[in-house]
Structures are given as C-alpha cells and as structure tokens.
Amino acid sequence: MAAALRLEGVSKRYGDFEAVRDLSFEASPGRILGFLGPNGAGKTSTVRMILGLSRPTDGAITVLGVGDARKVRDRIGFLPEERGLYRRMTPVDAIAFFSQLKGMPRAKARRRAEAMLEAQGLGEAMRRPIKALSKGMAQKVQLLAALAHEPELVILDEPFAGLDPVNQMSLEAILKSLAAHGATVVFSTHVMEQAERLCDQVVLIARGRKVFDGGLFEARSAAPRTLLLEGAVTAADALALPGVAAVEAQAPGEDGGLRLTAVLAPGASGQEALRAAFARDLDLTRFELREPSLYDAFIVLTGGARPEAAR
Amino acid sequence: MSRLLTIAVREYLAYVRTVGFWLSLCLMPLVLALSSQAPALLEKSSPKPVLTIVDLATPDDCPAEVQTCLYDPVLSLRRTVEDRLKASTAYVVVAPPAPLRAARTPEAVGAEAKRLLGGARPPGDGRIDAAGVVYRNNGRIAVDVWSRDVADRDLTRDVQDAVSEWMRRVNLQAQGLDPMLATKVMAERPEMHAFSPKAAGGGAVTDRDRLPGLIGFGLGLLLWSAVMTGAGILLNSVIEEKSSRILEILLASASTTEIMGGKILGVAGVTFTVLAAWAAMGTAVLGHFAPALLGDVAAVLLSHGLLAYFAAYLVAGYLMYAALFAAVGAYCETTRDAQTLLGPVMLILAVPIIFMGQAISRPDAPLLQALSWVPPFTPFLMAARAASHPPAWQIALTLIEMVAATALVLWIAGRAFRAGALSSGRPSLRALIGSVGRGDETRAPD
C-alpha cells in the first residue's frame, strides 16, 4: 500500500540555524504515527513543511501521492499546537466554517457539525459563543473542526494537551476510529503513555535529526531493562550481580534499607540475577524486573531530555 | 473561489452582527450633523463678550477744526469703532466703565483693564470682557486690546478693522473729501459676475458650478476615511487571527490569495454597507430639508461619470492599502506591534489630507497634479480634483498606474502575509522586508 506521507532527506534551514536535518520517514494509511521529540527538536517545522506552509530547504515530501500538500489540503485535517478559534463564533458555525474551507457544502457542513457536537456531548453548547465555553470544550470543538471533513491524513500537534482524562479517552477513541476507517493519523505528544496506547509507529527526533523510526517494541528496546532492588543491599552488592551494568539511582527504602535501580546489560537475564541474589543470601524485600517504557526509550534516544522537562 | 467567498462571508458577518457596528453606523451621521452645527450652537449658547473702546487718540485739547470730530457721527473714533463692532453682532459694545474713563494714559488704562478683567466676571451692568485702548504712539495710531480670553484672535482682528476704517475716514477727510461721501465710497462694491468655460452654462459661474469642487473634496475625504476604516478593520482582524493562532489553521485550509482576498472582500463589504447606509441617510435628510440641493448633488455625481470615476479610485486605493495593512497585521500579535510598523504608512497617509483642501480652490495646481501621480496619494487627490475634470489621459494613466501599483503591493503583501502568519517573536521592519525577499518565514518556530 502506498504511503500516505513520505519524507525523503528533508532539511530546513533558517539562516545559519538548521531546524531539521536529513529527515526521512513514511506513514501508511490506517496507521497511527507518533511524532515525538523534545521542544525545539524540529517537530513544528516538519509539520509546517508537510502541510506545505513552508518549503523544505532540501529533500522531498509526498503527501497523499502528490509533492505539494497544498494541492490536497481538502484531504488533510490539521490541529496546531497552539489552539485558536473565533471567540464570538458558535461551535456549530466554527466547525461548519472550517469544513466549508475544506470543500464541504454549507448545509452538509452544518449538519455534520451538529451531529459531531451531539455525539461528543456538546449538543447543549453548540449555539453558545466559544468564548463562553470551558477551555476543554473549546479544544474539543477545534479538534472536531479539524476532523469534520473526514480527512485522509490527520496531523495533530499535541492534541491531548489541556484535556481532562475523560476527554483524553474520548479523543483516543476518535483517533483509533479514524485509523480503523483508513485515515492516517500523525500526532505529536509529550505524554508517552498515550503514545504507547495509540501508536503503531513512532518517529522520534532530537535536535532536528531522526533518532528512531519503528514500532513500539523496537522503540522500547532502545532503553535497557532495569532491576528494582530494595532491602539491606548496597550498590556494590547490586553491581556484583550477573548482568548488572550500572546502578542508576538509590534512595532510602520503606523498611529502612536502600532502594536501588540497577541497569541490566543488553541481553542479560533478570532470572540469573535473581538466582545469584538468592545464592548470595542478599537480604532483599523487593526484586522487580522492569521492562523499559516508551518514556525510558525517549530519554535514551533523545540524549536525556525528559518529555515534561522539554516542555 | 469558494474558499475566498467563505472567508469573505465570515469576515463580513463577524462585523455586521456586532452591536458596535450598528451603533457606529447610526451614531456617526448624528455626530457629523452635530459637529457641523457645533460652531453655531456654541455661539448661541455662549454669552456675547462685552467690549468697550477707550479713546485716547483724540486729544482733549485738539484744534477747533478737529473738535467736531468728537461729535461727528462719521469722524468720531469711538462712535465709528463702536458702530462697526456692533454691526458685527458678535459683541455687546458698552461705554467704558468709570475707572477706564478716568485713566488718561495707555499704561493707566491697561492697569485698570488688567484689574477689571483679571478677577471673576462681575454680574450685571458694569462688567466687561474686553477693552480696546486706542492711542497715539510717536504720531501713529496704536491699539492695545485687553481680553479675558487669550485665544480670541477674532476680537483683535475686528478691533483692528474697525480702527482702520476710522483711520481711512480721517485721512480722506484730511484730503478734503466729505466724510459722508468717503464712507459711501468705501462701502461701494461692484456687481460681480464670474465666468468660466468650464461652467455648466458655458459662461457664468453659479453656486452649482462650485458644487463639484466641494463634492470632490468631500468624496476625497470619504475615500480617505473609507480606506482608513476598512484597512484598520482588516488590520485588527488579522492581528486577532494571528494572536489566536487561527491564521495557521487558515493557511492549512486555503491559499494566501484566498485568505487575503476573502478578508479584503469581506471588509470591503462592511465598508460598502456603511457607505451605502450613510448615503441613504444623507439622501433622505437632504430630500426632506433641501430637495433642490439634493437634485444638484445628484446631477453632479451622475454627470461626467463622476460616480464611476470615484468608484475606480476607491477600489484601487482600498485594495492597495488593505493589502498593505493585512500584511503588516500578519506580523503582529498586538496593535502596539502594528503601530511601530505602520508609522511610516500613517505619515504617507497624512500627505493627501494636507493637500486635499487646496483642491477645492485650485484643483489644477501644478503641485497637486504632480502629487496625483504618486500612487499612495493618487486615489485621494484624483478624487479631490474631480471637480476640475482632469484630462482623460491623466485619468487613464493614473488608473493604469494605480492598477500596476496595487498589483505590486498585493504580490508583495501576499509574500509578507504568508511569512508573517507563521512568524513568531517581535516583529521588525527588517524581518518583514527579508521575508518578502524569501517568500518564507525567516525564523524557526518556537
């Protein structure tokens, strides 16, 4: 199946500053791609180039089969990181307006807007000015405005920011539904749990360069597995266990002992370390093998920038 | 095209649906009507200044042949000056109060006048608001005018005119002319007839022939206000969209041309609605109170294609300035940012205002003609010169020049708008010019 989105060796320079360097990746129809990276990594510059809002300095971008996204803008849905709507407009007018801009006839756009607002529990607010809505409600309206014309490629910049957990769940369901219906969803987020729950593919960039492109399992593999040890144990005890490459953190434990996080060497077995701990009669109250999360992988791959801190 | 219209309709409705729009629409003609009546209302509601004339120029011991002056209705200084000032109806002229009558030198009169005028205005008789002291200074007539109001230049001029008239009478009498005859001679005025080949009748100039000059000036001013108002609305609209990040979504949904075109068209609709409403109100008021004048105004507007002439310059001028303001707005997140960038444009816009008034009396002045060829001034000055029916070649060439200039401004503004819409940080003239060259944003997004 042809990729809905393809970037080949894309770079973007602003004077002497290179915001994006030699970036290549693909997104296939019906899949959800997480576009992750710390602040200043080049995500917004990349999104603007994908949308045809700015020109790449080098490289080529193919969107829905064409070399210029502006030719297929009716088939793209876009939600920018910084939200904005006409404050005096009503939700139904706003969604209908943006759908009309995407080529939907006025009457159909209004019907679709009303139906979407009802479905998302905003039926009562649909004719109130947006300035009278809560931030979460307004954000939902803007998301609906980006999706109302049933786009084939959806690009969402931090779509979960500012939403409460219930609305986040609701948005996750919408994105899964879009992908299930064949749309390609590209979204950026700093909430790694959401990316883990939603993404089929992850593209990680840092300082303008791609540092990872692949599935979630592969991404997690980039970070080492760790052992959580708690009890009357020292860092030297932990380092002496087979497969332990380093002790990353230590803190006072709940029972007066220490809590250590030991990093396992690639390919090392947690079972072997456990057996050795028993054999050496270590006084452990807790022994836990932890698989790396996307968060851990993010930190390793981006060179230590934590997602929250990066914001 | 449908996107352009969708944006235009939204822009139009966004303004027309506000209460402020309807308030401005209705209140502006009222304010204009009130301001035109303001001087008369002010004069009617203010008490006339009480003025007195102190004559120190006619000596008490003047020769016998001059003694008659004091009683002569024509040669008496005080009487001449008082009659002249009374005739103007702008003042209440009274005899000098006792303290002024008692003083015999200009300095003494001045000291008394200062005392009388310096305090609160006393009620009832005996109060004065101004005093004119006429005396001789090294053989020449001099006048000191004392007034409560330092800004009243009319008073000084009126007293000067009145004293001048007395001086002329005395001089003519000294040359042996009968003072009564001299007064009559000075009052003589010829019967004037003005002719011009450009007059409607081909000869005699009537008030109706002067009407096009006034209408041209009015239309020039109207065009200037329409451009300023429309471009101002557009500027604020773009700033609002930039600051609320709507512009980025619009750019992902429509081309720069469609967004700018839609916004310019929408605001043009607002401006046209306002002009049409005011024109309707003006027609109704004139039709009721001055139907003849309405007929004359309509005849002038419909003759020589003046309406089409004005419309052409309105469209070109509006497009040029609207595109410019929209491009500047795309760089700004606050009106304060816009003010710094628009400073030079506002200075340019002030120039036509300075010269438009001249076009009423001298529409073909060489400087006005020369300035009419400068595109930023062309729409306003050509509208103001409409009365003189500029040559067809000038109209055609300035319109062609306007179309070319407007196309250039639209092209430049389009590139600047696109780059400005995506720009971040503090706007600068350098960034604006740089982005026009590149046609792309100059800084990485935050």
Side-chain angles (χ1 to χ4, degrees):
Chain A
M1 194 181 285
L5 171 65
R6 177 180 292 125
L7 279 79
E8 295 167 284
V10 171
S11 297
K12 179 71 184 176
R13 279 188 291 275
Y14 300 94
D16 295 334
F17 175 66
E18 196 162 29
V20 179
R21 277 184 281 181
D22 195 26
L23 181 62
S24 302
F25 68 86
E26 282 186 11
S28 303
R31 289 169 69 86
I32 300 178
L33 183 148
F35 189 48
L36 314 175
N39 249 16
K43 295 196 300 293
T44 303
S45 291
T46 306
V47 166
R48 285 181 176 176
M49 287 189 286
I50 291 171
L51 292 167
L53 301 184
S54 76
R55 288 191 296 270
T57 313
D58 288 309
I61 299 175
T62 309
V63 180
L64 298 171
V66 299
D68 184 351
R70 289 177 295 180
K71 291 178 182 162
V72 288
R73 52 166 71 103
D74 287 358
R75 294 159 62 194
I76 302 173
F78 171 54
L79 179 77
E81 182 182 2
E82 291 182 75
R83 312 285 193 269
L85 283 168
Y86 295 107
R87 286 167 47 77
R88 283 191 287 268
M89 253 185 166
T90 63
V92 71
D93 284 343
I95 295 172
F97 170 67
F98 285 111
S99 301
Q100 278 182 266
L101 287 183
K102 296 289 188 179
M104 200 180 260
R106 186 171 182 273
K108 189 181 172 189
R110 289 193 73 81
R111 280 198 303 275
R112 174 104 175 116
E114 285 168 3
M116 288 183 91
L117 286 164
E118 287 287 359
Q120 290 301 314
L122 292 170
E124 284 183 14
M126 72 165 74
R127 298 195 198 287
R128 293 211 309 252
I130 285 166
K131 64 182 176 186
L133 303 185
S134 70
K135 191 182 169 194
M137 286 164 97
Q139 201 161 324
K140 219 166 168 183
V141 170
Q142 184 159 7
L143 179 74
L144 297 179
L147 304 177
H149 63 291
E150 296 172 330
E152 293 166 52
L153 172 64
V154 180
I155 298 172
L156 310 170
D157 205 352
E158 293 288 346
F160 297 99
L163 291 181
D164 60 46
V166 175
N167 279 317
Q168 286 186 13
M169 294 277 286
S170 158
L171 175 55
E172 284 182 23
I174 291 173
L175 298 188
K176 281 178 182 167
S177 163
L178 281 168
H181 284 87
T184 307
V185 179
V186 176
F187 77 97
S188 73
T189 183
H190 287 95
V191 184
M192 294 298 126
E193 291 79 8
Q194 259 144 8
E196 281 189 293
R197 280 201 298 271
L198 283 170
C199 293
D200 303 304
Q201 181 188 349
V202 170
V203 172
L204 245 166
I205 64 169
R207 290 179 288 279
R209 282 185 184 281
K210 183 175 80 177
V211 291
F212 179 79
D213 179 5
L216 275 174
F217 180 77
E218 286 173 83
R220 288 194 201 103
S221 306
R225 293 184 301 162
T226 53
L227 288 176
L228 183 70
L229 306 172
E230 199 172 323
V233 61
T234 64
D237 294 335
L239 277 170
L241 292 174
V244 172
V247 174
E248 199 175 59
Q250 46 186 317
E254 287 173 8
D255 299 328
L258 273 179
R259 180 186 292 170
L260 304 174
T261 303
V263 179
L264 285 177
S269 162
Q271 289 297 325
E272 212 172 304
L274 179 61
R275 270 197 297 273
F278 271 115
R280 291 169 197 177
D281 200 21
L282 291 180
D283 185 8
L284 291 174
T285 55
R286 191 172 178 186
F287 183 97
E288 192 179 320
L289 175 62
R290 286 188 164 177
E291 290 298 331
S293 66
L294 192 57
Y295 180 93
D296 299 321
F298 183 100
I299 291 169
V300 170
L301 291 167
T302 59
R306 290 175 189 277
E308 288 84 357
R311 283 195 68 76
Chain B
M1 190 64 186
S2 67
R3 290 194 194 98
L4 189 149
L5 288 177
T6 302
I7 292 169
V9 169
R10 193 217 72 81
E11 196 73 25
Y12 179 77
L13 292 178
Y15 282 93
V16 172
R17 280 177 175 167
T18 59
V19 178
F21 171 81
W22 292 102
L23 275 177
S24 309
L25 191 72
C26 300
L27 286 179
M28 186 61 86
L30 273 179
V31 170
L32 280 177
L34 270 177
S35 61
S36 69
Q37 296 299 315
L41 282 173
L42 200 66
E43 197 170 317
K44 208 172 172 181
S45 61
S46 308
K48 288 180 182 176
V50 179
L51 169 68
T52 190
I53 299 294
V54 180
D55 177 11
L56 299 179
T58 309
D60 293 338
D61 56 346
C62 61
E65 66 271 21
V66 187
Q67 277 294 329
T68 52
C69 295
L70 295 172
Y71 310 101
D72 189 302
V74 177
L75 294 180
S76 159
L77 190 154
R78 247 189 61 204
R79 195 157 173 183
T80 307
V81 172
E82 283 179 5
D83 286 353
R84 168 78 186 250
L85 291 169
K86 279 176 185 168
S88 77
T89 71
Y91 312 98
V92 174
V93 184
V94 297
L100 294 185
R101 271 202 310 272
R104 297 318 304 159
T105 63
E107 292 75 20
V109 176
E112 282 302 322
K114 190 175 180 181
R115 189 181 59 77
L116 285 172
L117 298 171
R121 192 179 182 187
D125 294 338
R127 68 185 168 87
I128 57 165
D129 298 305
V133 189
V134 189
Y135 59 96
R136 289 180 190 275
N137 185 17
N138 295 327
R140 294 184 53 147
I141 295 293
V143 184
D144 290 350
V145 176
W146 286 84
S147 172
R148 289 184 193 278
D149 185 356
V150 283
D152 193 351
R153 296 177 66 183
D154 289 349
L155 170 71
T156 311
R157 191 196 59 228
D158 290 345
V159 172
Q160 184 185 31
D161 288 351
V163 175
S164 299
E165 188 175 323
W166 169 77
M167 289 167 71
R168 278 195 297 271
R169 286 182 186 182
V170 170
N171 280 330
L172 288 170
Q173 197 262 352
Q175 297 299 317
L177 280 176
D178 174 17
M180 290 304 285
L181 182 63
T183 302
K184 196 179 168 197
V185 167
M186 282 193 294
E188 284 287 343
R189 292 286 183 278
E191 186 181 311
M192 293 296 295
H193 302 284
F195 292 92
S196 168
K198 288 185 176 177
V205 177
T206 62
D207 283 347
R208 192 180 154 175
D209 292 311
R210 294 189 181 99
L211 202 54
L214 293 171
I215 290 177
F217 173 71
L219 289 182
L221 267 185
L222 194 65
L223 174 58
W224 191 86
S225 328
V227 165
M228 284 297 290
T229 310
I233 291 175
L234 198 59
L235 177 76
N236 285 326
S237 164
V238 176
I239 289 173
E240 184 196 348
E241 285 174 351
K242 172 78 190 287
S243 61
S244 61
R245 311 294 166 192
I246 297 170
L247 217 43
E248 195 172 344
I249 307 169
L250 285 178
L251 279 170
S253 309
S255 69
T256 312
T257 312
E258 288 167 333
I259 297 168
M260 264 183 65
K263 295 185 78 63
I264 289 172
L265 185 64
V267 174
V270 176
T271 310
F272 179 76
T273 304
V274 172
L275 290 180
W278 288 352
M281 288 181 206
T283 305
V285 170
L286 273 183
H288 185 75
F289 293 106
L293 180 60
L294 176 64
D296 287 347
V297 171
V300 168
L301 282 174
L302 297 174
S303 65
H304 299 93
L306 198 63
L307 218 50
Y309 172 99
F310 174 68
Y313 286 110
L314 171 66
V315 170
Y318 171 73
L319 273 179
M320 190 166 72
Y321 280 100
L324 190 63
F325 276 52
V328 169
Y331 274 88
C332 307
E333 299 204 3
T334 63
T335 44
R336 188 182 293 175
D337 291 343
Q339 279 164 359
T340 58
L341 287 179
L342 280 175
V345 181
M346 300 312 288
L347 282 177
I348 290 171
L349 269 168
V351 174
I353 285 290
I354 297 167
F355 288 96
M356 267 193 287
Q358 306 294 318
I360 299 176
S361 53
R362 299 193 63 199
D364 292 323
L367 185 59
L368 272 181
Q369 288 203 39
L371 287 174
S372 300
W373 290 97
V374 184
F377 311 147
T378 304
F380 314 113
L381 295 181
M382 285 303 283
R385 288 179 57 207
S388 69
H389 308 305
W393 67 270
Q394 279 193 19
I395 298 171
L397 283 183
T398 51
L399 277 175
I400 290 170
E401 192 191 39
M402 277 303 295
V403 170
T406 304
L408 181 68
V409 170
L410 280 171
W411 181 79
I412 292 172
R415 289 172 76 86
F417 184 88
R418 184 186 176 80
L422 298 173
S423 70
S424 53
R426 202 175 171 78
S428 70
L429 207 56
R430 195 175 165 187
L432 198 149
I433 293 166
S435 61
V436 170
R438 290 180 187 86
D440 205 355
E441 68 213 292
T442 53
R443 277 188 290 214
D446 293 333

